[in-house]
Every structure is written in C-alpha cells, then in structure tokens.
Amino acid sequence: MSPNWTTPAAAALRADGLRVADLDTSATPGFTGDKAAGQQLLAERTVVLSALQEKLYANGRSGDHRNVLLVLQGMDTAGKGGIVRHVIGSVDPQGVDHASFGVPTPEEQRHHYLWRIRKALPRGGQLGVFDRSHYEDVLVVRVHDLVPPAEWEPRYDEINEFERELVAEGTTIVKVAMFVSLDEQKKRLRERLQRPEKYWKFNPSDIDERAFWPQYQAAYQAMLDRTSTERAPWHVIPSDRKWYSRLAVTELLIDALTALDLHWPAAQFDVAEQLKRLETA
Ligand code: AMP
Ligand code: MG
C-alpha cells in the first residue's frame, strides 16, 4: 500500500452506518496525499489493475467461470463515465463487458426489472461494468413513483437474493455509490453547457432532477442500508475530486481481483515437446 493510504480504500469507504446527508463529498477517506500524488499513484495502480485483469481474462479463456462485476451508481455528473474511461479504460478491452442502463425500452418494460440485468451479466473471466444498474429500480423509480411502493418495496430483498445467487455462481460484486455535492453538480452541468464537446452528456431533465435531491438522498440511504451485505457491500465514494474517486475505485478493483488469487493458467500441452517441434517446423 502506498504511504499515502492510511487506511485501505475498501475499509475507508465501507457504507456501514454512513449517513448520506452528512457525507463530505470533497473528502478523500483513507488518503492523505494531494491531487498530484493521487494522479501519480493512479497511473501506477492502473498498471497493477491491468496485469490482474489480464490474468482474470486468461483464466476465463481456460474455463474459469469466475468474474468481477463493478456496479456504478450515482447522480448525473457524479463521474461514472470518468471511471469507465480512466479506470476501466486502462485494461484490455477484450476482457471488459460494459453495459449502461437508461430508461427501460418498451421491450424491457414488458419484462421483470432484472431481465435486462441478467442479460448483461459478465461471463467467466470478464470484468463487467454496470453504468447504472438494477438499483435504478429502487432509486429513480422510488423518487418518481414510477411504480407503487408495494411494488418497489420488496425489491431490496429481491436484489439481495439476486446478488447472493450471483456470488454463489462465482461473481465478485464491487458496488460503488458516487456522491457529489449539489454545488459541484451545478458546476459540472454548467461545464457541460459551456463546452460543445460536452453537450452530448447533458440532458435538460438533469436540471429538473436537482429539485428532487433530498428524495434521491433518502432513496440512496435506503439502498445503502438495505442492500449492503457482507457478500456484496456498498462502498461510498466522495466524488467531488475526480482524481480521488478514480483512485479509490482502482484500489477496490485491485482488492477484488487480488482476492481471487489468480495464477497464469497451466499449459494444456507439453511445453518442451512443443518447443522441439517448433524448431523443426
Ligand atoms: P444517463 O446515465 O445520463 O445516460 O441517464 C440514464 C437515465 O436513465 C437516468 O436518468 C436514469 O435515472 C434513467 N433510468 C435508468 N434506469 C431506469 C429505470 N429502471 N427506470 C427509469 N429510469 C431509469
Ligand atoms: Mg446523464
């Protein structure tokens, strides 16, 4: 661990007992370094992440069914896309299975809310990434009464059961909830409106959603309280500082992959014999 980490990210960011409304979104839990130190370390750690991910992929190609699923949740501008680009972007894309979840299509609407999620699950050896996820079905759905409470209320237990099955089948789930302050969000939305290359990220409804901030905080709180389990805990990432959130998520993924205790797959052939054959081929 770098001397700048006083507490490992996984421990510093555990959601247990955390109050969303009290969170300092500009804090850097467990990390004492500044932005320059954080960026320098990120460059080093993504190399480590990439090497681990290659091993995961290699094992998948050799029949290992295990995989890792990163679940990203957060309000607009929280930095989910930045994690995909700057953290996941550092690994071999062959081994990445990325899915983003927006407003359900008419076809998705006709199915159970987990239908589209199950279809997008990573296969053996893959690093799956969900940019938004099944948790939208207890977040935006709850905030906007898209279905009655009697329908979303049982979903917390159902999601826990769903994730229990996933873990039993060999998925390591890394759940990340990213939080920015209302002010920081305004700054980032303003930037999206001031730079033509960012227009594509802006949706006029993002401004309307700001009026529902307290309701979203309550929905996020319920999500953390009810779906942070031992087997699939939530990590809460203060995300006003992009360099910190990227570094923190990198560390969480490194931890998850390290815990799989991966080794290079053994040769399924006699290496000496193949070397000999090659020389005369
Ligand atoms: P973005 O991530 O900026 O592309 O936006 C995707 C939008 O889809 C967000 O406003 C989400 O709240 C919305 N969304 C995602 N899942 C659902 C869902 N199950 N029901 C309704 N809206 C959703
Ligand atoms: Mg958006």
Side-chain angles (χ1 to χ4, degrees):
M1 201 165 73
S2 144
N4 281 322
W5 280 107
T6 52
T7 312
L13 299 166
R14 281 290 281 255
D16 312 305
L18 182 133
R19 306 319 298 163
V20 172
D22 300 338
L23 184 72
D24 175 2
T25 54
S26 67
T28 60
F31 191 79
T32 53
D34 60 6
K35 179 175 178 174
Q39 286 177 330
Q40 167 68 33
L41 186 58
L42 178 65
E44 292 168 21
R45 299 298 278 166
T46 48
V47 174
V48 174
L49 174 64
S50 178
L52 284 164
Q53 179 265 347
E54 191 185 358
K55 255 185 205 167
L56 177 70
Y57 182 64
N59 279 279
R61 291 291 301 261
S62 304
D64 193 334
H65 64 284
R66 294 176 300 167
N67 56 42
V68 174
L69 175 61
L70 174 66
V71 173
L72 296 171
Q73 280 296 156
M75 301 289 289
D76 274 297
T77 78
K80 304 182 293 296
I83 297 291
V84 173
R85 183 167 180 163
H86 297 279
V87 177
I88 303 303
S90 69
V91 312
D92 186 343
Q94 288 185 96
V96 173
D97 198 350
H98 173 269
S100 55
F101 298 96
V103 178
T105 63
E107 191 191 16
E108 287 169 350
Q109 287 280 6
R110 285 194 295 275
H111 291 86
H112 188 272
Y113 69 98
L114 291 176
W115 179 75
R116 64 176 183 167
I117 304 295
R118 290 185 194 278
K119 280 205 309 177
L121 290 171
R123 286 157 293 123
Q126 296 279 319
L127 170 56
V129 184
F130 282 1
D131 181 342
R132 303 187 189 269
S133 66
H134 39 300
Y135 286 101
E136 290 292 322
D137 293 279
V138 289
L139 292 169
V140 64
V141 166
R142 169 176 162 147
V143 168
H144 289 293
D145 300 314
L146 300 182
V147 302
E151 206 168 314
W152 57 253
E153 176 60 36
R155 289 180 177 174
Y156 298 98
D157 291 342
E158 194 172 31
I159 287 171
N160 286 336
E161 176 56 20
F162 169 64
E163 292 184 354
R164 192 190 62 73
E165 286 166 23
L166 277 188
V167 171
E169 286 160 13
T171 298
T172 301
I173 310 176
V174 180
K175 299 194 294 199
V176 162
M178 304 178 73
F179 293 94
V180 284
S181 69
L182 199 51
D183 276 354
E184 179 65 22
Q185 192 198 46
K186 182 177 267 189
K187 206 177 107 200
R188 292 183 184 180
L189 287 174
R190 189 183 298 121
E191 219 172 88
R192 290 182 178 184
L193 286 166
Q194 286 172 336
R195 293 171 57 180
E197 71 273 24
K198 293 204 170 191
Y199 291 167
W200 65 276
K201 295 187 188 181
F202 183 82
N203 187 327
S205 72
D206 297 347
I207 296 178
D208 302 311
E209 288 302 90
R210 288 171 59 78
F212 294 89
W213 201 260
Q215 289 92 325
Y216 271 107
Q217 287 204 323
Y220 269 95
Q221 188 69 59
M223 175 192 86
L224 297 176
D225 291 345
R226 299 186 61 180
T227 64
S228 198
T229 57
E230 203 49 51
R231 67 182 77 88
W234 273 107
H235 302 280
V236 171
I237 321 275
S239 299
D240 284 1
R241 301 174 201 256
K242 291 177 181 174
W243 62 265
Y244 175 78
S245 58
R246 292 168 191 173
L247 178 62
V249 174
T250 302
E251 298 295 352
L252 295 177
L253 288 173
I254 288 175
D255 271 12
L257 285 158
T258 303
L260 293 180
D261 192 22
L262 297 160
H263 302 278
W264 293 111
Q268 302 297 314
F269 43 81
D270 183 328
V271 178
E273 182 189 321
Q274 295 304 317
L275 268 173
K276 209 159 92 203
R277 284 186 62 226
L278 178 63
E279 292 315 321
T280 55

